[in-house]
Amino acid sequence: MARCRNLVFILGDQLSMSISSLSGIDRERDVVLLCEVAEETTYVRHHRKKIIFILSAMRHFAKELSAEGYKVRYIKLDDADNTGSFTSELKRAVEDLRPDSIVVTEPGEWRVLEQMRGWHADIGLLVDIRPDGRYLCSHDEFKTWAQGRRQLTMEFFYREMRRKTGLLMEGDAPAGGRWNFDSENRSPAKQDLFRPRHPRFAPDETTRDVMKLVDLRFGDHMGSAEGFAFAVTRKDAEQAADVFIVDFLPKFGETQDAMISGDPFVNHSLLSFYINIGFLDALSLCQAAERAYLEGKAPINAVEGFIRQIIGWREYMRGIYWLFMPDYAQRNFFEAARPLPDFFWTAETQMACLSTVIGETIENAYAHHIQRLMITGNFAMLAGLDPHALHEWYLEVYADAYEWVELPNVIGMSQFADGGLLGSKPYAASGAYISRMSDYCENCRYDVRKKTGEGACPFNALYWDFLARNAEKLSANRRLAQPYATWRRMSEAQQKTYLDSARAFLQKLDDGVPV
Ligand code: FAD
Ligand code: DLZ
Ligand code: SF4
């Protein structure tokens, strides 16, 4: 390729035709760079389906760019002269194309932003790092919202986003008379044999090439290429979104918290992969959901719940990440240090809830929100697993995981490792919650009704042990007044039985004894 004017560097989770780095591009004189690099595929050992998804999506996006008349320099993972990192590939492109400047959109991870900030000094060219326009709330806007607040309550942030976007607003009032319909979205698990199937996309030749490459090169990463059926083009992702609005959105609310054996997706959208990578525009998706409500095709509790997840939780998590990084990643309020048990990678445990959720994660690189929060997350917090190791696990195993969204969900929402910056109380639950919201306990070797001793559900004793060992840090929390009152009412002997039961279980974990 001849000398170019601007080198536009697009990362693997920026696959959108309207990404800010492409704005004002000159198709004749500028070149777009995309590169598959070893550093990104291995800085944690990503699930094989996640790597396949990202690399195949990048290859398809590059073809789309070329078809639109852009000049593209595309580096494949197995190209002989691939140097293996963003910085070294950028340098190689600069040597070959001798651009006047580099244009990028800010990345989704602190680690990569640090690299970008070093490029000007390292390469000697002007580096234009542009804001990412795919989000509703800019960093400055979030900072302004957060300033002076004692608690960063998501619900209030969400209302601002509703007002800003006009979604589900009737003048100044929320549609349906309430901002939040969550209380209607807690129905327990129920098998539904008539539930439609989520769309699956057969791999084309490009994807099949990537599948072979990934199986060959990442044999020691979780999962396998077999059964890969993600959309890898914007067009197919848009089709998945259309199917969701018609087939699943109407029941999205009522089953949002339900966990059902053999039904890993329930009525969830399975769209986070495509929103996060840039194939779907978050606001347009919410507008499509709102249309379904206005046309009487989906109820308010479902549509409000769905929109809240996206313009509320998703935007809020991004705000928290950029406001509190880099030290947020090191937060460890409970000083938890236990390594993750092997069954986090094998699913080999007799606890049916964990073996089901981890098994589905290995199979699909996906688990829905309540599975992530109340099964793996809840267990990790109760058992005192190291939150940093857990964060790396979540980043590895889910195909939608990038640090900006994964880290606050793990450190903040699920582990309370930030000491309550994000949540008002830890999401800690005993077996009774899991039994109410799932059918997992029906096929478990443990008895959810048994509190302690041989055969008792481990979550029961772990729950009380967690509260007891963290009483200094938690007992003043008003939202935990009731469980602490119950704990205090127990006889010393009963308390001891719980603690002994939990300690015996944790000892087994430490000794690597199957549980
Ligand atoms: P649906 O249930 O259909 O929800 C619709 C959309 O809302 C999602 O696609 C997503 O874009 C958004 N959303 C819902 N909840 C959240 C949330 N808490 N934070 C941000 N967005 C949300 N989400 C990720 O995108 N990447 C992650 O790495 C990630 N890690 C998580 C780790 C833990 C411990 C927990 C508790 C949650 C995590 N989430 C993450 C949030 C949520 O679980 C996923 O967004 C959701 O399960 C994706 O599946 P779906 O598209 O079927 O979601
Ligand atoms: C996650 C990922 C993977 C597995 N591989 C690549 C890659 O080879 N090339 C690339 O540009 N991006 C990849 N990504 C996504 C990046 O890790 C992501 O862009 C940064 O972490 C910033 O969010
Ligand atoms: Fe999980 Fe306990 Fe139920 Fe078994 S009994 S599935 S361990 S909650």
Side-chain angles (χ1 to χ4, degrees):
M1 256 182 215
R3 186 186 168 119
C4 74
R5 188 189 64 152
N6 291 327
L7 182 60
V8 177
F9 190 3
I10 296 188
L11 309 185
D13 55 354
Q14 300 180 338
L15 310 184
S16 160
M17 285 292 176
S18 48
I19 196 81
S20 57
S21 53
L22 282 176
S23 164
I25 190 171
D26 181 332
R27 288 174 210 214
E28 295 299 317
R29 294 188 297 157
D30 298 340
V31 170
V32 178
L33 168 68
L34 287 117
C35 51
E36 302 171 4
V37 289
E39 188 171 71
E40 294 309 302
T41 52
T42 52
Y43 73 95
V44 292
R45 291 193 304 169
H46 299 288
H47 194 296
R48 283 191 242 176
K49 285 199 171 74
K50 177 179 186 180
I51 303 179
I52 295 166
F53 168 57
I54 293 172
L55 302 195
S56 180
M58 286 174 66
R59 291 185 187 192
H60 283 92
F61 183 70
K63 280 189 204 156
E64 201 184 337
L65 284 172
S66 301
E68 296 267 332
Y70 294 96
K71 290 194 176 118
V72 179
R73 175 182 167 108
Y74 193 93
I75 309 297
K76 289 186 176 172
L77 196 63
D78 51 354
D79 283 351
D81 40 8
N82 188 328
T83 53
S85 76
F86 282 153
T87 301
S88 57
E89 273 310 304
L90 180 67
K91 280 187 184 165
R92 203 160 66 91
V94 166
E95 277 161 25
D96 289 351
L97 302 169
R98 289 169 292 123
D100 298 330
S101 72
I102 295 159
V103 180
V104 280
T105 292
E106 60 180 340
E109 302 198 351
W110 179 269
R111 171 186 66 87
V112 181
L113 182 63
E114 286 292 276
Q115 292 175 18
M116 284 184 180
R117 284 177 174 154
W119 287 346
H120 172 61
D122 202 9
I123 298 173
L125 288 179
L126 184 81
V127 182
D128 178 5
I129 305 178
R130 299 182 177 172
D132 193 336
R134 288 177 291 171
Y135 300 92
L136 297 172
C137 184
S138 70
H139 303 315
D140 282 347
E141 230 178 316
F142 192 82
K143 202 171 169 182
T144 307
W145 174 79
Q147 251 157 15
R149 282 172 194 265
R150 213 163 38 85
Q151 260 232 299
L152 301 180
T153 309
M154 197 292 294
E155 183 64 25
F156 297 128
F157 170 78
Y158 164 57
R159 291 178 193 179
E160 297 277 320
M161 292 299 110
R162 287 273 292 278
R163 290 192 185 96
K164 179 172 179 179
T165 57
L167 284 163
L168 294 181
M169 294 299 292
E170 290 164 357
D172 288 339
R178 266 153 59 197
W179 290 102
N180 185 315
F181 288 78
D182 218 16
S183 55
E184 288 161 42
N185 289 349
R186 292 188 190 129
S187 305
K190 209 165 69 200
Q191 292 281 352
D192 180 356
L193 297 175
F194 300 103
R195 198 184 326 283
R197 298 235 166 262
H198 283 79
R200 294 174 59 83
F201 299 88
D204 64 3
E205 203 185 325
T206 302
T207 303
R208 286 198 300 273
D209 281 350
V210 180
M211 287 164 74
K212 271 189 232 136
L213 171 71
V214 167
D215 263 349
L216 203 68
R217 198 156 159 166
F218 303 102
D220 57 342
H221 290 217
M222 184 185 272
S224 92
E226 207 185 305
F228 180 87
F230 288 40
V232 291
T233 62
R234 183 165 46 95
K235 202 164 128 282
D236 283 350
E238 281 167 358
Q239 195 205 323
D242 291 346
V243 171
F244 167 72
I245 299 284
V246 174
D247 286 350
F248 300 99
L249 178 64
K251 291 194 174 170
F252 174 83
E254 65 188 74
T255 55
Q256 207 179 335
D257 287 2
M259 298 176 277
I260 306 167
S261 309
D263 188 356
F265 311 131
V266 201
N267 288 303
H268 290 275
S269 68
L270 274 66
L271 296 178
S272 51
F273 324 117
Y274 311 134
I275 308 173
N276 293 352
I277 208 171
F279 280 166
L280 295 180
D281 173 57
L283 181 59
S284 311
L285 186 59
C286 290
Q287 286 162 340
E290 182 189 42
R291 262 195 312 279
Y293 164 67
L294 293 173
E295 290 166 6
K297 293 176 181 158
I300 185 78
N301 64 308
V303 174
E304 186 281 314
F306 181 71
I307 288 178
R308 172 159 29 88
Q309 305 313 316
I310 295 182
I311 68 168
W313 281 112
R314 186 171 183 272
E315 293 284 334
Y316 173 80
M317 291 301 184
R318 179 171 182 265
I320 294 281
Y321 179 80
W322 287 109
L323 195 57
F324 294 104
M325 278 300 277
D327 64 307
Y328 196 75
Q330 306 310 325
R331 302 269 176 118
N332 188 355
F333 182 61
F334 297 124
E335 296 166 75
R338 182 163 279 113
L340 269 55
D342 285 349
F343 65 73
F344 269 68
W345 283 272
T346 62
E348 284 167 15
T349 165
Q350 299 183 78
M351 292 178 278
C353 51
L354 281 157
S355 71
T356 305
V357 172
I358 296 170
E360 289 173 358
T361 298
I362 295 171
E363 175 89 20
N364 304 318
Y366 175 86
H368 67 68
H369 184 69
I370 292 299
Q371 294 178 311
R372 296 186 205 195
L373 184 65
M374 298 311 294
I375 305 296
T376 38
N378 179 29
F379 177 81
M381 185 172 64
L382 298 186
L385 305 189
D386 172 0
H388 197 77
L390 186 74
H391 137 63
E392 291 192 338
W393 182 82
Y394 275 98
L395 191 57
E396 265 180 48
V397 304
Y398 292 116
D400 57 16
Y402 305 91
E403 210 179 77
W404 68 267
V405 56
E406 171 275 331
L407 189 80
N409 266 299
V410 174
I411 295 292
M413 184 188 272
S414 126
Q415 298 303 292
F416 206 75
D418 62 5
L421 184 81
L422 192 152
S424 54
K425 78 173 174 84
Y427 279 99
S430 66
Y433 172 88
I434 297 171
S435 169
R436 190 164 64 251
M437 297 313 297
S438 80
D439 60 2
Y440 298 151
C441 304
E442 291 165 23
N443 296 309
C444 186
R445 111 130 173 85
Y446 296 103
D447 182 350
V448 72
R449 285 155 309 184
K450 200 164 173 223
K451 305 291 181 208
T452 54
E454 177 48 34
C457 167
F459 281 82
N460 293 336
L462 286 176
Y463 173 76
W464 290 115
D465 184 56
F466 166 76
L467 287 181
R469 74 173 185 266
N470 293 304
E472 250 182 53
K473 289 175 173 154
L474 294 177
S475 59
N477 183 319
R478 278 190 298 152
R479 297 198 60 204
L480 293 173
Q482 201 191 350
Y484 274 111
T486 308
W487 175 248
R488 279 191 298 269
R489 272 199 305 275
M490 286 182 204
S491 67
E492 251 178 58
Q494 197 179 0
Q495 287 182 345
K496 184 170 180 314
T497 318
Y498 273 122
L499 299 185
D500 288 349
S501 222
R503 302 277 148 82
F505 177 84
L506 292 173
Q507 191 60 52
K508 280 190 191 166
L509 278 193
D510 292 344
D511 295 345
V513 174
V515 288

